[in-house]
Amino acid sequence: MTQTNVAGNYAVVNGLNMYYEIHGEGFPLVLIHGGGSDIYVTFGRVLSAFAKSHQVIGVDMQAHGRTPDRGVPTSFEQDADDIAALLKHLNIKQADVMGFSNGGNTAMQLAIRHPQLVHKIVIASSFYKRDGFDSWFWDFMPNASLENMPKPLQEAFLKINNDHAALETMHNRDRDRMVAFQDWSDDIIRSITMPALVIAGDKDVIRPEHTLQLYRTLPDAELCILPGGHGDYIGEIEDVSKDGGYPAVAIIEAFLTNGKA
């Protein structure tokens, strides 16, 4: 996984000391990582490709990576408000937004709650109703513990924040948010009127039928389902492929640049 030596920055937004990095130049592109992750866990293998033609803004959300917890539960709505406040802090009037997994939920909430900030949206391996997952996921989630968390994610967190208590806090915040999740209505999804690209793997943890449903519910969307599992198409940390050759990059770039994937 490629990680550039770029000094990050912090901004106090809504009482949160949020870590962010800026790479490249061009129209802004906000990258929102998945649960249990950080900027580089999710996007480390593709960030430099996007930075060739965009001003990439990578963020670590509450309790993740280099951003500390603020002592209150996380929600997709609060995460969206935090990113909106960061964009205001950076004096960015509008940006493209890409969110992976839980980050896709945050991206959708950003488009719902702060539509004026979002130019185009890429929703990657995300859901908006509980039936986006098979039933076993919801049976498992209430009893999930740190022992169940994938080791590569744990190791990535401890590498930049060697604090086991903080690691457990991150895990528990993500678990509790999922347990409490309630379906979003189709009408709420229809309020996301900017161009959208819905992308997922055919063996994703998100059911392909749900990805198709999300695509059909959005007013102005394109759909891309690629071979592979959760995050394989962008080289997310659990993907075993070597750097390079991730097919989603060209597809996403074409959507952002030309409006057609």
Side-chain angles (χ1 to χ4, degrees):
M1 180 172 54
T2 302
Q3 182 165 342
T4 54
N5 294 319
V6 174
N9 298 280
Y10 285 88
V12 178
V13 295
N14 300 326
L16 178 69
N17 196 27
M18 176 183 279
Y19 178 85
Y20 69 95
E21 294 182 4
I22 296 179
H23 301 255
E25 298 179 353
F27 192 80
L29 171 62
V30 179
L31 299 180
I32 311 174
H33 63 74
S37 305
D38 61 35
I39 300 166
Y40 287 97
V41 168
T42 297
F43 298 109
R45 289 172 170 154
V46 297
L47 190 155
S48 61
F50 289 126
K52 291 177 181 178
S53 54
H54 304 274
Q55 182 190 51
V56 173
I57 303 160
V59 295
D60 283 352
M61 304 309 302
Q62 176 185 334
H64 292 71
R66 301 159 187 81
T67 298
D69 186 58
R70 67 179 139 203
V72 298
T74 55
S75 71
F76 298 124
E77 294 82 359
Q78 182 62 65
D79 280 357
D81 291 349
D82 292 342
I83 292 175
L86 176 65
L87 292 177
K88 181 178 180 181
H89 171 82
L90 296 174
N91 198 30
I92 293 174
K93 306 298 184 185
Q94 195 174 53
D96 293 328
V97 179
M98 176 178 175
F100 169 73
S101 194
N102 279 3
N105 293 71
T106 297
M108 284 188 276
Q109 282 297 327
L110 184 64
I112 291 163
R113 298 167 70 85
H114 307 278
Q116 74 282 1
L117 294 176
V118 181
H119 178 243
K120 295 180 181 178
I121 182 172
V122 180
I123 305 166
S125 296
S126 303
F127 71 104
Y128 75 102
K129 293 182 184 292
R130 292 174 71 91
D131 67 5
F133 294 91
D134 290 327
S135 59
W136 67 261
F137 178 87
W138 301 109
D139 293 338
F140 161 79
M141 190 55 61
N143 299 313
S145 67
L146 188 58
E147 293 179 357
N148 309 126
M149 185 178 181
K151 293 300 181 183
L153 299 185
Q154 295 191 43
E155 291 166 358
F157 182 91
L158 293 172
K159 185 176 180 179
I160 59 174
N161 185 2
N162 190 22
D163 183 340
H164 284 266
L167 172 62
E168 187 158 14
T169 295
M170 176 182 69
H171 171 274
N172 293 347
R173 293 292 190 211
D174 286 340
R175 177 199 62 203
D176 295 347
R177 170 164 56 183
M178 296 301 282
V179 169
F181 182 83
Q182 298 295 317
D183 289 356
W184 298 344
S185 72
D186 288 348
D187 285 343
I188 289 175
I189 297 302
R190 291 190 189 100
S191 74
I192 302 174
T193 57
M194 65 285 297
L197 173 63
V198 179
I199 188 167
D202 64 346
K203 297 177 179 62
D204 218 302
V205 296
I206 306 299
R207 298 169 59 246
E209 296 85 354
H210 185 74
T211 299
L212 180 61
Q213 179 183 354
L214 174 59
Y215 154 72
R216 286 178 168 168
T217 305
L218 289 160
D220 183 9
E222 299 179 44
L223 174 66
C224 179
I225 296 182
L226 293 165
H230 196 61
D232 291 355
Y233 52 84
I234 55 170
E236 195 258 354
I237 194 171
E238 290 193 90
D239 171 43
V240 296
S241 303
K242 295 181 179 179
D243 286 10
Y246 299 108
V249 174
I251 294 167
I252 294 165
E253 187 65 39
F255 166 76
L256 295 176
T257 303
N258 304 317
K260 296 292 182 183

